[in-house]
Each structure stands twice: as C-alpha cells, then as structure tokens.
C-alpha cells in the first residue's frame, strides 16, 4: 500500500517546472505500478506543443478551461472540468489554457519523474 500526498512532492525534484506548466509527479516508474500519475497545472494563456511519441497519456481535467488541437486534422477539442482526453494514437497536439487548468495525467510507460519536453514536445524513452 502506498499513500502519496501532494505536499510530499511540492518543493522536491518531482515538482517539475516545464515553463507553461508545473507537474507534480505523484506516482513514477520507481513505484512499480506500470504507469505514472501527475497532478499538473497548465498556466493560463499558454499554448504548448506536445507530441508523446514514446508514451500514451490520458489527461483528466479537474479544474479550469482550455482546448486541445490535434495537428493531424486541425480539430479543436474543448476541454473543461470533468473532461478526459486520451492520446491513444500518440497524437501530436497543441494544448491551450484559457485559464489555469489542473490536470491529472497518467502515462504508460511510466515517467521516471524528472522529464521535461524536448524541442519537439517529446519525453524520451526511459532506457533503465
Ligand atoms: C496535460 C499535459 O500534457 N501537460 C504537459 C505536462 C505533462 N502532462 C506532465 O508531465 O504532467
């Protein structure tokens, strides 16, 4: 049994500042669950290019409002509180936050916990 509180992560190396977002890594690869879980704040007024070529991600919005644009078809997906989107095809996308958004992000394979996007919006494969 594991219990993790947000306050345990704040101010540690697992509170990661990505510029447009701050990701609090709650469950990571080291926990051995086969996925990772982040509590992430997307900053109001930002647009972030993301392309998780090496991961599948599901994102559940629990606060705030914004939209995702999938770049393969330029479709705009409104995202508000209580909405989940799943990047089931490693979808390249733009994430736009109209206001601060709080997102619960689940990654498969799990993040090691310190990742930030590279210049293409990608997280690397964890080789360990
Ligand atoms: C929602 C989203 O993809 N935000 C970017 C940060 C990432 N999800 C993370 O590491 O929490």
């Amino acid at each position: 049994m594991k219990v993790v509180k947000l306050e345990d992560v704040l101010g540690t190396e697992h509170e990661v500042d990505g510029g447009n977002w701050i990701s609090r890594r709650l469950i990571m690869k080291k926990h051995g669950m086969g996925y990772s879980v982040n509590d992430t704040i997307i900053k109001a007024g930002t647009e972030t290019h993301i392309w998780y070529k090496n991961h599948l991600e599901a994102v559940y919005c629990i606060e705030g409002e914004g939209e995702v644009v999938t770049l393969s078809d330029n479709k705009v997906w409104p995202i508000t509180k209580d909405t989940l989107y799943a990047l089931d095809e490693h979808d390249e996308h733009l994430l736009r936050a109209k206001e601060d958004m709080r997102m619960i992000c689940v990654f498969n394979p799990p993040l090691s916990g310190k990742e930030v996007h590279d210049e293409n919006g990608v997280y690397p494969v964890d080789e360990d």
Side-chain angles (χ1 to χ4, degrees), residues 50 52 55-59 68 85-91 93:
I50 301 174
Y52 294 134
H55 299 82
L56 298 170
E57 186 194 25
V59 182
V68 168
Y85 63 91
L87 302 165
D88 59 338
E89 297 182 336
H90 302 277
D91 313 61
H93 62 286

Side-chain angles (χ1 to χ4, degrees), residues 78-94:
I79 305 296
T80 55
K81 181 178 182 302
D82 301 342
T83 305
L84 180 143
Y85 63 91
L87 302 165
D88 59 338
E89 297 182 336
H90 302 277
D91 313 61
E92 183 180 15
H93 62 286
L94 302 175

Side-chain angles (χ1 to χ4, degrees), residues 1-88:
M1 174 73 179
K2 300 179 196 327
V3 175
V4 182
K5 295 179 73 72
L6 180 59
E7 66 194 44
D8 299 336
V9 172
L10 299 179
T12 73
E13 62 183 350
H14 299 305
E15 182 181 29
V16 176
D17 186 342
N20 290 351
W21 47 265
I22 296 179
S23 179
R24 291 80 65 94
R25 278 56 198 266
L26 300 170
I27 293 289
M28 295 159 269
K29 183 178 179 185
K30 69 177 182 182
H31 292 106
M33 299 292 287
Y35 52 82
S36 58
V37 182
N38 307 330
D39 178 334
T40 299
I41 306 295
I42 314 296
K43 296 179 188 170
T46 61
E47 177 181 271
T48 307
H49 173 230
I50 301 174
W51 194 2
Y52 294 134
K53 299 179 189 182
N54 304 311
H55 299 82
L56 298 170
E57 186 194 25
V59 182
Y60 187 53
C61 177
I62 58 171
E63 290 174 18
E65 182 181 352
E67 62 190 22
V68 168
V69 183
T70 42
L71 295 182
S72 62
D73 55 8
N74 284 321
K75 190 161 178 186
V76 178
W77 306 81
I79 305 296
T80 55
K81 181 178 182 302
D82 301 342
T83 305
L84 180 143
Y85 63 91
L87 302 165
D88 59 338

